[in-house]
Amino acid sequence: MHINRKKIIKVLLFILMVVGLFMLGANQYRMKWWPFEDGFESLSIDEILPDQNAKIGSVFGTENLRVYNLPIDDEFPSGPFEILGNKRFLFISKCGEAYFTALDDNDIERTQSPQRLSKSDDDDDDAKPLVYCQGSSGVKDSLRVNNSLYVSYIVWDDMQNGARLAVSEFTLDIVNSRLVYKRDIFTSNPAIKEPFLGMQAGGKLALGESDEIVYLAIGDFGKPQGVQDTSTSLGKLMKINTKSGTVSLYASGLRSPSGGLYFDHEAGDLWETEHGPRGGDEINLIREGSNYGWPLVSYGTMYEREGNGDYYGNSYNGHDGYEKPIFTFVPSIGVGSIARYPKSGRNAYWENSFFVAGMATTTLYHMKKEGHRLVYAEPVLSGYRIRVVKIDADGRFYLKTDHNQLLMSE
């Protein structure tokens, strides 16, 4: 039998070319295949065709959102942001870089290079950073009050060799896109030595009854034995008068108020979301002088971490003897930011309701509010780990995620 060697060679070359093109394409899209890798890796369609739209979907209405990728380089857990007006925003990264940005056509762009938070006027790269940014420590929150910006962050105390939660005031110069340090208004006590849990430092801020009142929620830093000790700041809710400089204890018994703090100016109520232990995430109505019980009571149970067994009280799945939460999530949702939908908003069915982020569940919840009761938690948006929830007076949503995205109402 006659064998056409030229034809066989052509066929082999064709097969090699096809295999080569497949391998090149597989590598390009990271669908790696033996013998070069262990097998196919999942490829998200978002990496090929990113979805620029999302929708809040409730039984009582919908809200279309536009998804913007942010021109910042942030780490987990990501930092806060402020709405400056005229389509301008200020984002602060976990490690203390301030990004002034503007919405231009279909993109959010920087208006200048990032500025590192500092107590000096010059940008000295060799100067000690203001923000202690190790692990889950860093910037915890920001609060704009007219031309002032209050920033809460973890700072390292060299003298005491430990970490503290600090709040500083900066002058906000929107025209020149600049923050200028003005003064410190609070520093927690005592300095916490390593190891500690920066994720449980709290640091959430809320503007109170007037422009001179700022509320600050402080966590236990993973040192619960100090929470019920009135000589420490651990697990306390502080009321700060920025005019007189006085600081007073408002409430106590908090674990990890790392989710959100919201003052309802119409009702005069202060609401706080708090990470519980294993289960037991809470939404609390903060009442002056109240004790919320940590670490003696919780509707959750403890994590099996080394060193935690010697402090936790015996009252699992209960809250007797202490102020009880208005709403509890079991299992935990990684409860995050909280904001109220205004009465002048676009949807009458949502008026006076809360919208609350579940970071662990990557879900936004609509929570029906009746008086001081929260009736239900309705999942209305999924797939986004939302770090900050803001709703303006017109009912427009601004949702910042831990993946450098901003979701805005269209």
Side-chain angles (χ1 to χ4, degrees), residues 93-118:
S93 73
K94 167 195 169 184
C95 290
E97 290 84 19
Y99 295 82
F100 285 87
T101 66
L103 177 60
D104 182 16
D105 295 328
N106 294 320
D107 296 306
I108 295 178
E109 302 288 351
R110 299 182 194 175
T111 57
Q112 64 171 233
S113 300
Q115 171 194 348
R116 187 172 67 175
L117 294 182
S118 174

Side-chain angles (χ1 to χ4, degrees), residues 1-5 8:
M1 182 176 67
H2 177 69
I3 299 176
N4 191 329
R5 293 183 178 180
I8 293 175

Side-chain angles (χ1 to χ4, degrees), residues 266-284:
E266 290 189 11
D269 294 330
L270 181 63
W271 295 84
E272 175 247 9
T273 66
E274 179 170 343
H275 296 173
R278 188 178 182 185
D281 279 6
E282 299 176 354
I283 299 180
N284 290 309

Side-chain angles (χ1 to χ4, degrees), residues 110-131:
R110 299 182 194 175
T111 57
Q112 64 171 233
S113 300
Q115 171 194 348
R116 187 172 67 175
L117 294 182
S118 174
K119 292 186 177 183
S120 62
D121 293 333
D122 53 19
D123 296 325
D124 184 1
D125 293 334
D126 296 328
K128 177 187 173 182
L130 178 64
V131 178

Side-chain angles (χ1 to χ4, degrees), residues 61-286:
T62 61
E63 180 82 7
N64 292 322
L65 306 172
R66 180 68 185 269
V67 182
Y68 296 92
N69 294 318
L70 298 177
I72 65 176
D73 184 18
D74 206 354
E75 302 176 28
F76 175 85
S78 64
F81 85 101
E82 297 294 334
I83 302 169
L84 303 181
N86 296 322
K87 299 183 178 180
R88 291 177 293 178
F89 305 92
L90 169 62
F91 297 91
I92 302 179
S93 73
K94 167 195 169 184
C95 290
E97 290 84 19
Y99 295 82
F100 285 87
T101 66
L103 177 60
D104 182 16
D105 295 328
N106 294 320
D107 296 306
I108 295 178
E109 302 288 351
R110 299 182 194 175
T111 57
Q112 64 171 233
S113 300
Q115 171 194 348
R116 187 172 67 175
L117 294 182
S118 174
K119 292 186 177 183
S120 62
D121 293 333
D122 53 19
D123 296 325
D124 184 1
D125 293 334
D126 296 328
K128 177 187 173 182
L130 178 64
V131 178
Y132 181 69
C133 191
Q134 300 296 318
S136 53
S137 298
V139 173
K140 295 303 180 181
D141 204 3
S142 65
L143 174 66
R144 181 191 174 191
V145 183
N146 301 319
N147 292 325
S148 288
L149 185 75
Y150 299 98
V151 181
S152 65
Y153 56 95
I154 304 297
V155 63
W156 188 259
D157 185 333
D158 289 324
M159 296 292 292
Q160 298 297 322
N161 193 32
R164 301 179 189 268
L165 180 68
V167 181
S168 296
E169 180 182 0
F170 294 82
T171 299
L172 176 60
D173 184 351
I174 297 177
V175 174
N176 296 304
S177 300
R178 188 163 182 81
L179 291 173
V180 179
Y181 171 80
K182 186 175 181 180
R183 59 173 176 161
D184 294 336
I185 65 169
F186 178 83
T187 306
S188 67
N189 177 63
I192 307 298
K193 299 185 183 302
E194 293 277 16
F196 64 87
L197 298 178
M199 68 185 72
Q200 289 180 207
K204 295 304 174 182
L205 300 165
L207 182 65
E209 299 88 338
S210 70
D211 288 352
E212 300 169 357
I213 301 299
V214 171
Y215 289 100
L216 168 68
I218 308 168
D220 70 0
F221 282 78
K223 309 290 184 181
Q225 62 273 14
V227 172
Q228 294 297 327
D229 182 350
T230 56
S231 69
T232 79
S233 304
L234 299 179
K236 309 302 192 298
L237 197 296
M238 297 296 189
K239 183 176 183 179
I240 304 171
N241 187 311
T242 59
K243 183 177 181 179
S244 66
T246 58
V247 179
S248 58
L249 175 63
Y250 194 78
S252 61
L254 309 180
R255 177 182 182 268
S256 180
S258 303
L261 193 64
Y262 179 82
F263 188 85
D264 185 339
H265 288 90
E266 290 189 11
D269 294 330
L270 181 63
W271 295 84
E272 175 247 9
T273 66
E274 179 170 343
H275 296 173
R278 188 178 182 185
D281 279 6
E282 299 176 354
I283 299 180
N284 290 309
L285 175 60
I286 302 295

Side-chain angles (χ1 to χ4, degrees), residues 303-315:
Y303 287 108
E304 295 178 359
R305 293 174 179 150
E306 183 178 357
N308 279 11
D310 61 351
Y311 74 80
Y312 197 92
N314 295 320
S315 183

Side-chain angles (χ1 to χ4, degrees), residues 17 21 31 86 240 262 303 313 329 334 347 369 393 397 400:
M17 182 180 68
L21 289 173
M31 296 184 292
N86 296 322
I240 304 171
Y262 179 82
Y303 287 108
F329 295 91
N347 187 324
K369 178 175 174 286
F397 287 81
K400 181 183 178 293

